[in-house]
Amino acid sequence: MKPRVWISIVVLSASLPLNPLWAQHGPPPGAGPRAGGGVGGAGAAGAGETAAVEKFLSLSDTELDQLLAAIQRIRAMTPEQRVALLEQMQRYRALPDGERAKLRQGWGMVSPEIQDAWRAMMQQATPERRAEIQRELQSLAPAERTARRRELAEAYLAAQDTP
């Protein structure tokens, strides 16, 4: 999944109400008469929830796991960290396409497949394994980091291809 699509899903899901079952079962007791978008829960919030659920139903288990991991990381952030990340994402989106491509290519001309494999590998790794990888990479010279990242991502891809 492309980073922009993934980021959009994360931002969309973070802004949704937490209980999409309202559309089926109505608002929880004591929620008041206007909860769920008015009569029958069919207001704008209900339509937005339905659209989000439809998108989630089309995602694979791996993509749903990645989305869940991203939500968990966002929940672990302080409000200041969330604001800083949002500003960073907005600055990135404001860059011309050529500049964004240069940033992505800062990996040392690594293919998008390897970049995606790296991202998936790091998202699925335990916090301890991620810290171990980061320590290892920080101990290397910049030119060696790119090569080591590529090695790790290729090993991850190879492991995914073998049953």
Side-chain angles (χ1 to χ4, degrees):
M1 186 177 270
K2 296 190 181 229
R4 274 192 286 191
V5 174
W6 186 82
I7 289 170
S8 298
I9 290 171
V10 169
V11 170
L12 172 66
S13 65
S15 66
L16 292 175
L18 296 178
N19 192 349
L21 297 177
W22 281 21
Q24 294 176 1
H25 304 290
R34 301 200 64 101
V39 177
E49 288 176 21
T50 302
V53 169
E54 285 182 38
K55 287 184 186 228
F56 294 149
L57 290 172
S58 68
L59 298 176
S60 70
D61 285 346
T62 302
E63 291 168 324
L64 288 169
D65 288 342
Q66 291 172 348
L67 183 58
L68 181 59
I71 291 169
Q72 289 169 337
R73 282 193 304 276
I74 291 170
R75 283 187 171 164
M77 291 179 175
T78 65
E80 295 79 19
Q81 289 171 323
R82 289 181 184 192
V83 168
L85 179 59
L86 182 60
E87 289 171 355
Q88 182 181 4
M89 290 168 54
Q90 289 169 341
R91 283 193 307 271
Y92 176 78
R93 281 192 206 116
L95 290 173
D97 287 340
E99 290 296 316
R100 282 186 281 183
K102 284 181 188 177
L103 285 174
R104 288 190 301 269
Q105 300 275 322
W107 265 61
M109 303 302 281
V110 173
S111 72
E113 178 185 32
I114 296 294
Q115 291 179 30
D116 291 344
W118 172 263
R119 187 176 309 105
M121 178 191 76
M122 292 300 279
Q123 288 173 345
Q124 292 177 3
T126 63
E128 295 81 19
R129 177 67 178 139
R130 280 195 297 271
E132 177 186 329
I133 291 169
Q134 291 302 328
R135 278 192 302 275
E136 176 188 355
L137 292 175
Q138 293 302 317
S139 71
L140 299 173
E144 295 170 330
R145 279 185 204 143
T146 302
R148 182 62 179 143
R149 256 194 233 141
R150 178 183 218 112
E151 287 174 20
L152 290 169
E154 287 173 345
Y156 173 81
L157 282 174
Q160 298 300 308
D161 290 338
T162 57

